[in-house]
Amino acid sequence: MARLGLERTVVDAEVYGRTVARFRDAGVVLPTIGQLKAPSTIPADIKAKLKDVDPDGPHPLNLFRVHWFNDADRTGLAEVPGHIELPSELTGVKARIVLALGNRFPMIHAHKVLAAYGCLVPRVVTGQFDPTRHRAIWPSTGNYCRGGVAISKILGCRGVAVLPENMSQERFDWLDKWVNDPSDIVRTPGSESNVKEIYDTCATLDRDPANIIFNQFCEFGNYVIHRTCTGAALETLYGALTKDRPNARLAAYVSASGSGGTLAAGDHLKQSLGAKIVAVEAAECPTLLANGFGEHNIQGIGDKHVPYIHNVMNTDLVAAVSDHSTDTLFVLFNTEIGRNYLIERKRIDPALVAQLGNLGLSGLCNMLAAIKTAKYFDLGSDDVILTVATDGGAMYGSEIGKATAKYFGNRFDEVTAGEIWGQSLAATATDNLLELTHFDRKRIFNLGYFTWVEQQGVALEDFTARLQPSFWDGLLDLVPAWDRMIGEFNAKSGAKV
C-alpha cells in the first residue's frame, strides 16, 4: 500500500535524514494541509515575504500559495476564493451556477498543483522520497504533471512529466521552460483518452528504483487534500454567495472525473451542506455512464477507467458532455467575433464576457454539466450549483485554430457564433445524464476492478474496502497525522524562509 500514500510513520530513516538536509540547504519549508485549508493561519513572516515573491517562479515560498484563496494578482490573500457566477442570460437556467477559478494557483495557473502537493507530502515526511537521489514521475494529461514539475524544481530534484503527445501545445511550451532536461518530458501515444498508455509507460519507468511514481489516480493524498482544502474553500464560497439568502441551498457540486481528486470536495460538501455530487465525463467516451470508450478533446478530465480514489458509492449523478460543445464554446468565448456576439446580440454584460477566458476546456465541460443538472432537477433561483474551472484559456490558445478548421472550414463569423450559441449552449439538455441507483453505483465501482486489480495489482481486499463510507471518512484521520509530521520535519530541517 506504500504507493497509495496511506503511511503515517517514517518508513526509511536514511532517506528521511537526507531529505531533511536537502530542504535545510534549499530553504524549503513545507506548509501544513491545515494552512492550505485556511491560509489566514500561515505565519505572518511568511505572508510578509510572499509579497515580494513572483507567483510564477520556482521559489520555495510559492508552496504557501498552493490554495484557493489567492487574490486576482496572486500576490495576496482573498477572503473568498476567486470565482465567476454565470447569469441566467448565459446559462438559460434560473439556478446560480458558480465556478471557482483554478488559474489563481501559482506557477501553473491551475489547481492541479494542489493535487501534486497532496501526493508529494506523504512521501516526503514518511521518508519515501529522496530528492537527492530520486526522480519524481508525474503522470497526467497535462496540468498535474506541470504542478509536479514545478514542485520538483522547488525541491531541487528532477521532475518527469508523462503525458499524451497530442495535448495542447501550451502545455509542452510550459514544460520546455521548467524541466531540467528535454528527456524529462515523456510523450505517450494518443491524447486525452489514452490514460492506460500513461500507466504502461509508468510501469516501465517504475522498474528503475530511482524513479518514484506519483500516480494521482490512486494516491490518497490527492483525495485527502481536495476533500479537506477544496471542500472547505467551496464551503466558504457558498457561504459568501448566500449570506443574505436565507432560502438558498447548495443543490449540487459538479466536477469532471479526472483523477477523482477534485470530486473529493463533493464528499465534504455533501456531508456539510447536503449537496448532490455530479461526476462528469466526455460523451464521446462515456465510461461511467455506459461502460463506453472512445476519443475526445476535453483535455484534463481523463477517461476509459474509474480512478481508484473516486468515491463512486457517494456519487449521485453522471453527466456526459460532448467535446464538440466545449471546443466550439471555447472559440465563442475567446475570440473577438465571439465576444462581440455575446455582448451585442445576446446582451451579456461585457464585464462577465471579459471573464470567460478564465474557463479552460474542462471548465466549460463542468459549466455545461451544471446546466444539465439544473434542467434535470428543475432548479430555481434559490438553488446554487458549485463547480470548478481547473485552468483558464491560456493553456488552449492553439486549440482555437484547430477547432475553427475542424468545425467551421477555417471561417468564423457572426453567423457561426450564433450557430455555436444555439447548438452548444442553448440546446444543452438532459440527455447523456444518469441519476445513479445503488445498482448503478455498484456497476461503476465494479468496472474499476479491471484497471486496479487485474492491471495494476491492487489486492482485492483493498479494492473492495472502498465500498464502505467509513473507509473514505477514515482517510481524514491522515490530516492531523501528516500535519504533525510536517511540523516535525520542518523543525528538524530548521529551514529558513
Side-chain angles (χ1 to χ4, degrees), residues 174-230:
W174 186 95
L175 287 167
D176 286 338
K177 297 176 182 177
W178 277 74
V179 295
N180 293 337
D181 187 274
S183 65
D184 292 337
I185 305 173
V186 179
R187 294 169 169 83
T188 57
S191 57
E192 177 64 33
S193 296
N194 298 95
V195 174
K196 183 180 182 298
E197 287 77 1
I198 297 174
Y199 288 165
D200 292 344
T201 298
C202 286
T204 300
L205 292 169
D206 201 29
R207 295 171 189 162
D208 184 344
N211 293 331
I212 302 295
I213 313 296
F214 290 90
N215 188 345
Q216 61 172 329
F217 298 94
C218 66
E219 295 259 352
F220 286 112
N222 184 7
Y223 174 90
V224 167
I225 205 161
H226 273 303
R227 181 166 174 176
T228 302
C229 298
T230 302

Side-chain angles (χ1 to χ4, degrees), residues 348-415:
I348 307 299
D349 184 352
L352 185 278
V353 172
Q355 293 294 313
L356 295 177
N358 289 297
L359 311 183
L361 294 176
S362 62
L364 293 173
C365 174
N366 285 340
M367 176 193 76
L368 292 173
I371 295 171
K372 282 177 172 285
T373 302
K375 290 185 174 181
Y376 180 79
F377 286 114
D378 300 313
L379 299 182
S381 58
D382 285 327
D383 295 307
V384 178
I385 299 178
L386 289 181
T387 184
V388 299
T390 296
D391 55 19
M395 276 293 107
Y396 305 99
S398 61
E399 296 297 311
I400 293 176
K402 293 179 183 178
T404 303
K406 179 177 180 180
Y407 298 111
F408 314 127
N410 287 315
R411 180 180 178 180
F412 181 66
D413 54 23
E414 187 178 76
V415 173

Side-chain angles (χ1 to χ4, degrees), residues 139-141 162-164 186-205 207 213 215-217 258 285 287 293-296 301-307 447 449-457:
S140 84
T141 53
V162 181
L163 72 166
V186 179
R187 294 169 169 83
T188 57
S191 57
E192 177 64 33
S193 296
N194 298 95
V195 174
K196 183 180 182 298
E197 287 77 1
I198 297 174
Y199 288 165
D200 292 344
T201 298
C202 286
T204 300
L205 292 169
R207 295 171 189 162
I213 313 296
N215 188 345
Q216 61 172 329
F217 298 94
C285 187
T287 305
F293 53 88
E295 299 286 337
H296 71 90
I301 71 169
D303 54 24
K304 286 187 182 172
H305 77 302
V306 182
L447 187 61
Y449 167 88
F450 301 99
T451 295
W452 299 109
V453 178
E454 289 198 348
Q455 294 178 15
Q456 302 301 319

Side-chain angles (χ1 to χ4, degrees), residues 217-254:
F217 298 94
C218 66
E219 295 259 352
F220 286 112
N222 184 7
Y223 174 90
V224 167
I225 205 161
H226 273 303
R227 181 166 174 176
T228 302
C229 298
T230 302
L234 293 176
E235 184 175 4
T236 297
L237 173 56
Y238 174 77
L241 292 167
T242 59
K243 184 177 180 181
D244 300 317
R245 304 281 291 266
N247 296 323
R249 67 165 182 149
L250 182 57
Y253 169 68
V254 174

Side-chain angles (χ1 to χ4, degrees), residues 1-8 11 122-123 126 128 218-221 308-309 452 456-466 471 475 478 482:
M1 292 295 289
R3 66 191 181 92
L4 304 184
L6 290 171
E7 289 72 24
R8 59 188 77 194
V11 299
R123 299 298 190 92
T126 56
Q128 297 178 80
C218 66
E219 295 259 352
F220 286 112
Y308 195 73
I309 62 168
W452 299 109
Q456 302 301 319
V458 170
L460 182 60
E461 181 181 2
D462 293 333
F463 177 82
T464 56
R466 298 154 46 255
F471 172 87
L475 292 176
L478 290 166
W482 286 346

Side-chain angles (χ1 to χ4, degrees), residues 52-265:
D52 299 319
V53 174
D54 177 7
D56 290 320
H59 194 289
L61 282 179
N62 271 330
L63 295 177
F64 286 88
R65 285 185 170 131
V66 181
H67 57 70
W68 286 96
F69 290 86
N70 294 301
D71 62 17
D73 295 327
R74 297 178 305 133
T75 56
L77 291 179
E79 292 185 6
V80 178
H83 61 280
I84 297 176
E85 180 171 350
L86 301 177
S88 297
E89 293 82 2
L90 182 73
T91 64
V93 297
K94 295 179 181 179
R96 303 174 69 187
I97 295 176
V98 182
L99 297 100
L101 299 179
N103 61 1
R104 296 251 178 122
F105 278 79
M107 298 178 286
I108 73 168
H109 294 259
H111 85 263
K112 285 287 190 173
V113 71
L114 177 65
Y117 187 77
C119 295
L120 171 82
V121 164
R123 299 298 190 92
V124 168
V125 299
T126 56
Q128 297 178 80
F129 179 71
D130 185 346
T132 71
R133 300 185 180 186
H134 289 143
R135 291 196 306 171
I137 312 297
W138 303 95
S140 84
T141 53
N143 284 326
Y144 172 77
C145 70
R146 293 194 302 119
V149 165
I151 290 175
S152 299
K153 200 169 188 72
I154 288 174
L155 304 187
C157 66
R158 289 186 68 177
V160 178
V162 181
L163 72 166
E165 60 190 350
N166 292 325
M167 303 307 289
S168 69
Q169 184 59 44
E170 289 78 6
R171 282 168 161 76
F172 290 104
D173 292 342
W174 186 95
L175 287 167
D176 286 338
K177 297 176 182 177
W178 277 74
V179 295
N180 293 337
D181 187 274
S183 65
D184 292 337
I185 305 173
V186 179
R187 294 169 169 83
T188 57
S191 57
E192 177 64 33
S193 296
N194 298 95
V195 174
K196 183 180 182 298
E197 287 77 1
I198 297 174
Y199 288 165
D200 292 344
T201 298
C202 286
T204 300
L205 292 169
D206 201 29
R207 295 171 189 162
D208 184 344
N211 293 331
I212 302 295
I213 313 296
F214 290 90
N215 188 345
Q216 61 172 329
F217 298 94
C218 66
E219 295 259 352
F220 286 112
N222 184 7
Y223 174 90
V224 167
I225 205 161
H226 273 303
R227 181 166 174 176
T228 302
C229 298
T230 302
L234 293 176
E235 184 175 4
T236 297
L237 173 56
Y238 174 77
L241 292 167
T242 59
K243 184 177 180 181
D244 300 317
R245 304 281 291 266
N247 296 323
R249 67 165 182 149
L250 182 57
Y253 169 68
V254 174
S255 176
S257 173
S259 66
T262 313
L263 271 169

